[in-house]
Amino acid sequence: MSDDCVFCSIVAGDIPARTVHETDDVIAFLDANPLAPGHTLVIPKSHAPRVGDLEADLASAVFETVTTLTPRVQDAVDADAANVGLNDGEAAGQEVPHVHAHVIPRFAGDGGAPIHAVAGERPDLSDDELDEIAAAIAP
Ligand code: 5GP
Ligand code: ZN
């Protein structure tokens, strides 16, 4: 629990939320400023700022909730699809520093964009550069 974290306050019950799913480790609730009807956030109950800070069990629990909840969210608002994503870090647009997955219902012709739209200008990478990056990521 982090004292000045808005999502920890929701977990503690100090800030009200429209909870749609809860287990011992995970809670999901409607986003207060939804990008679409049904926009839902899935968070671990324990405070972790970034995805890399999550223990494996907790990461699994969060993703399990995302997978079970996404179809339910879509059905509830009669959506055609959904975008599921996390902003990991301030430069990626993360405003609340407590890991949360967004489930954003999408509707045919809603004027939105795919997740590919989140990045800046596309890089033009050579095969060597791609090999180098892959090697740096791989253990
Ligand atoms: P981020 O930019 O960090 O990925 O997204 C944070 C999300 O949390 C935003 O979509 C914002 O609307 C939502 N949010 C911020 N404060 C609250 C709150 O107090 N209650 C709820 N339900 N959502 C919040
Ligand atoms: Zn927190």
Side-chain angles (χ1 to χ4, degrees):
M1 164 102 188
S2 168
D3 281 347
D4 55 357
C5 171
V6 66
F7 288 173
C8 283
S9 298
I10 286 175
V11 172
D14 295 336
I15 293 179
R18 291 183 175 84
T19 301
V20 298
H21 183 80
E22 186 169 5
T23 67
D24 286 347
D25 300 322
V26 176
I27 186 166
F29 49 87
L30 294 188
D31 194 294
N33 296 290
L35 296 173
H39 182 174
T40 298
L41 303 173
V42 180
I43 70 168
K45 284 186 175 174
S46 61
H47 185 80
R50 303 281 297 263
V51 286
D53 300 322
L54 280 186
E55 300 286 343
D57 285 359
L58 205 45
S60 299
V62 169
F63 195 66
E64 188 185 344
T65 297
V66 167
T67 57
T68 54
L69 214 52
T70 297
R72 279 169 45 193
V73 168
Q74 288 180 63
D75 287 350
V77 296
D78 213 12
D80 300 304
N83 289 112
V84 175
L86 298 96
N87 295 322
D88 185 40
E90 215 176 319
Q94 185 179 5
E95 289 179 358
V96 177
H98 179 134
V99 173
H100 50 282
H102 293 260
V103 178
I104 305 168
R106 296 294 306 274
F107 303 85
D110 64 11
I115 212 156
H116 301 75
V118 298
E121 202 174 313
R122 282 195 186 207
D124 185 17
L125 297 168
S126 66
D127 282 348
D128 282 350
E129 287 169 320
L130 290 169
D131 289 343
E132 214 173 291
I133 293 166
I137 295 170

